Amino acid sequence: MKPIKHYIVALAVLSCTVGVAQQLPQFTQYMYNTISINPAYAGSRETLSIVGLHRSQWVGIDGGPVTQTLSVNTPLRNEKIGLGLSFINDKLGDERFSYLYADFSYTIQTGDNTKLAFGIKGGFTGYSLDRGAIDPDGQDPNIYGVEDRWSPNVGAGIYWHSQMWYLGLSAPRILNTDYTKGKNNQDIAALERVSYYFTGGYVFTLSQNTKLKPAFLVKATNGAPLSFDLTANFLFYEKLWLGGGYRINENTSALAGIVDFQISKEFRIGYAYEYPLSDLNSYTGGTHEILVMFELFKPKRIKSPRYF
């Protein structure tokens, strides 16, 4: 059984790291971390919003992805312009990707209760490889030509929303980057490819104290299969979110449970657990994700609750 276990684990890690197109990290609580994939989201919450997230994927598997994000975004005084800044640290096996990007959005009124925002994103992606872990003796020629470096990139997106629904379309990294400089390395292919995201959600009022918010995310990456995320969360008394999610793509699928609590008007904390529906579930304790949100409200500025 041990060789079979190692084979399955190796395939799981390699499927998202070495030898394929590098994709942006995936999140179970994507609906609360939209700024990481869509620059048009900047300023849409009508207040200064700071979001931190930690994700440990496939706990118990050596080399499983570990991701941290930290973002801040805010509208300017006229509320038409939004600014944001985000940092992502993503460790995948022996590779590490770091993303440092700034966001700019401009919003126009499209109706009495609807707005359309256009956004651009610009910054740098850093790449590093733990050569000592891959080749302790320094004898493997396959890692030659793969260098540590920071590369510029840009992204764009649109975000159409009201108080009760939203739709977004974005490509947070438009430029392709080959960290091997075109070298013919069959075992190392550190590529950053274009990813496209289509997102949406709607808030249904079920009763005075209960709401339901289904949401979806469709992700398409050049050189990788389509990925679909579907979630549904109940909101009780404007304080407690409870729900679940389902992710599926060509290679794997997963079920998730989500709980978020509004501790105070300014402070919110969330937790998600993801269980893989594949051979991996015999070797991992699942995926854990913690989200913390802090917002600095100005009473005259906030006209209604923000559900996304």
Side-chain angles (χ1 to χ4, degrees):
M1 288 297 296
K2 191 172 181 180
I4 296 177
K5 173 183 176 180
H6 289 169
Y7 177 73
I8 294 173
V9 171
L11 283 180
V13 175
L14 288 174
S15 67
C16 62
T17 56
V18 180
V20 296
Q22 160 63 13
Q23 304 181 49
L24 283 170
Q26 61 187 18
F27 304 105
T28 305
Q29 301 175 91
Y30 60 87
M31 70 293 292
Y32 308 130
N33 198 33
T34 306
I35 191 66
S36 67
I37 60 172
N38 192 339
Y41 184 80
S44 66
R45 291 186 64 85
E46 300 182 358
T47 188
L48 175 67
S49 181
I50 303 172
V51 178
L53 185 147
H54 175 87
R55 178 180 174 88
S56 295
Q57 187 169 336
W58 304 333
V59 172
I61 293 180
D62 187 25
V66 177
T67 306
Q68 298 90 27
T69 75
L70 179 63
S71 67
V72 56
N73 74 94
T74 183
L76 297 188
R77 188 177 296 274
N78 64 5
E79 298 188 355
K80 291 184 178 180
I81 295 176
L83 299 178
L85 184 67
S86 60
F87 174 76
I88 302 175
N89 177 52
D90 192 30
K91 189 176 187 302
L92 305 164
D94 298 316
E95 294 179 298
R96 184 185 299 275
F97 286 82
S98 300
Y99 306 86
L100 181 60
Y101 282 82
D103 305 285
F104 173 89
S105 71
Y106 185 82
T107 299
I108 60 175
Q109 199 80 29
T110 57
D112 293 338
N113 300 304
T114 61
K115 297 179 180 180
L116 178 62
F118 303 88
I120 56 174
K121 180 187 290 282
F124 297 87
T125 298
Y127 174 80
S128 62
L129 182 66
D130 188 351
R131 294 168 175 80
I134 297 176
D135 183 25
D137 300 323
Q139 302 296 320
D140 189 350
N142 289 315
I143 67 172
Y144 298 157
V146 183
E147 64 178 22
D148 296 352
R149 63 173 177 173
W150 287 84
S151 301
N153 214 322
V154 295
I158 58 175
Y159 187 70
W160 190 31
H161 63 101
S162 72
Q163 179 189 351
M164 306 302 288
W165 58 264
Y166 71 94
L167 289 171
L169 182 64
S170 61
R173 309 288 183 268
I174 293 177
L175 304 178
N176 290 329
T177 302
D178 183 354
Y179 295 96
T180 63
K181 289 186 174 182
K183 299 291 182 68
N184 185 24
N185 289 337
Q186 296 180 355
D187 295 326
I188 302 290
L191 310 175
E192 186 178 29
R193 297 280 179 87
V194 181
S195 292
Y196 304 93
Y197 293 82
F198 180 45
T199 59
Y202 194 95
V203 179
F204 294 93
T205 300
L206 303 182
S207 69
Q208 182 178 355
N209 298 312
T210 306
K211 294 179 173 65
L212 171 64
K213 188 183 79 171
F216 70 86
L217 179 150
V218 180
K219 176 182 177 182
T221 301
N222 291 344
L226 279 174
S227 177
F228 301 88
D229 283 76
L230 301 173
T231 60
N233 290 277
F234 289 93
L235 173 61
F236 302 101
Y237 295 93
E238 303 291 338
K239 290 287 186 182
L240 178 65
W241 289 100
L242 289 176
Y246 179 63
R247 174 182 298 117
I248 185 171
N249 59 36
E250 182 180 329
N251 298 319
T252 186
S253 59
L255 286 175
I258 303 171
V259 56
D260 282 78
F261 186 68
Q262 194 76 41
I263 296 176
S264 66
K265 186 177 181 180
E266 297 81 14
F267 188 63
R268 176 177 180 173
I269 187 168
Y271 170 77
Y273 174 78
E274 193 173 290
Y275 180 78
L277 300 177
S278 66
D279 292 336
L280 280 175
N281 57 27
S282 299
Y283 311 111
T284 173
T287 296
H288 302 273
E289 192 174 282
I290 298 175
L291 178 141
V292 177
M293 179 183 294
F294 176 80
E295 297 185 302
L296 186 61
F297 287 93
K298 295 181 179 180
K300 293 183 179 179
R301 198 166 193 168
I302 300 302
K303 305 175 181 63
S304 58
R306 302 288 96 185
Y307 296 118
F308 38 79

